[in-house]
Amino acid sequence: MNIPTPHINAKSPDEIAKTVLMPGDPLRAKFIAENFLTDVTQYNAVRGMLGFTGVYSGKRVSVQGSGMGMPSMGIYSYELFHYYGVENIIRVGTAGGIRSDVKIRDIIFGMGASTNSDFARQYNLPGTFAPLADFGLLRTAVACAERRELAYRVGNILSSDTFYADNPEQAANWQKMGILAVEMEAAALFMNAARLGKKALCILTVSDVPGEATSAKEREKAFTDMMLAALDTAAAM
């Protein structure tokens, strides 16, 4: 496949930085680019999945929407890694708290991404693959969060194929295994990175817990602590 790809309109790998922040919401990508990057250029608008490259703390950084769910994340992260030479992808997303001590607006670094998806079936593995974040990215991100004196948690998250689950009580079973929160993209990102020899990390802000939720506008714009931790990590790469 040549570039541009079917989903990313950048005409050269040089248009995209080696480290890309990937929120699910393309409007969050636009917010990050407009508020934290300088010398910004837009390289993608295909299917409304906005992508920008700019400068943060003297380092070129890109930010690109991934869309919702593992199939969408699988497409965009694969094309960035494989066709555009991206080395590091940091998902910056939202999650629903599962463990009872997880609170709304908590920052979570996903060290592992358990999943109910069959995404790994394509690899024909003789067992169950455990999707993990890159330790170097994780260690750098934690150090960046600590420098900013941000409260955070590190642990296992759940990447789910369903938002409206037919049996929502199953969350209790994941809670028994110490799962902190549920989201919908990280496992596919981690698996693509593993298969292609690249690096990936997932940083989440808890947007809802039972009985409490943030608004769509807050999810787009208000979770700046997570964004800054990811940008600091990108600048350190």
Side-chain angles (χ1 to χ4, degrees):
M1 183 187 298
N2 296 320
I3 54 175
T5 66
H7 308 95
I8 298 174
N9 201 39
K11 297 176 177 60
S12 164
D14 294 338
E15 294 182 42
I16 304 177
K18 294 301 182 184
T19 300
V20 179
L21 273 60
M22 293 198 79
D25 184 353
L27 293 180
R28 193 181 307 133
K30 184 172 185 284
F31 176 83
I32 293 170
E34 290 178 343
N35 288 275
F36 299 109
L37 304 184
T38 59
D39 301 321
V40 175
T41 58
Q42 181 175 327
Y43 65 79
N44 195 56
V46 177
R47 295 174 176 257
M49 207 55 63
L50 304 176
F52 306 88
T53 298
V55 177
Y56 177 82
S57 292
K59 188 73 173 282
R60 288 183 81 235
V61 178
S62 294
V63 55
Q64 159 84 56
S66 72
M68 290 188 289
M70 279 174 272
S72 188
M73 170 58 86
I75 289 169
Y76 286 100
S77 61
Y78 186 93
E79 291 185 6
L80 288 169
F81 281 143
H82 187 67
Y83 296 109
Y84 287 97
V86 169
E87 294 295 329
N88 313 295
I89 294 179
I90 304 172
R91 166 161 157 70
V92 283
T94 56
I98 288 183
R99 212 167 72 182
S100 58
D101 60 340
V102 170
K103 307 302 181 188
I104 203 162
R105 296 183 180 83
D106 279 356
I107 295 174
I108 293 174
F109 296 98
M111 183 165 54
S114 298
T115 186
N116 57 18
S117 168
D118 278 341
F119 193 90
R121 182 176 292 183
Q122 64 184 302
Y123 305 121
N124 296 314
L125 299 168
T128 301
F129 182 76
L132 299 175
D134 176 76
F135 178 70
L137 282 178
L138 176 60
R139 179 171 55 184
T140 301
V142 167
C144 290
E146 289 179 345
R147 280 195 293 271
R148 288 188 176 273
E149 299 183 339
L150 302 178
Y152 64 88
R153 296 169 180 271
V154 179
N156 204 350
I157 58 176
L158 170 65
S159 296
S160 178
D161 263 347
T162 54
F163 188 88
Y164 298 107
D166 190 58
N167 183 10
E169 290 77 17
Q170 288 182 354
N173 294 329
W174 291 108
Q175 185 184 56
K176 292 175 186 176
M177 299 303 293
I179 297 294
L180 295 172
V182 57
E183 53 86 69
M184 301 187 72
E185 288 83 33
L189 171 61
F190 290 177
M191 284 189 252
N192 273 349
R195 179 64 181 85
L196 297 170
K198 305 288 187 168
K199 299 178 181 179
L201 176 65
C202 178
I203 308 177
L204 303 167
T205 301
V206 177
S207 59
D208 57 278
V209 295
E212 185 179 6
T214 55
S215 69
K217 188 60 66 177
E218 283 181 289
R219 293 192 294 274
E220 177 187 331
K221 297 182 176 181
F223 299 151
T224 54
D225 285 347
M226 167 183 66
M227 299 171 191
L228 287 167
L231 287 164
D232 290 347
T233 304
M237 291 298 99

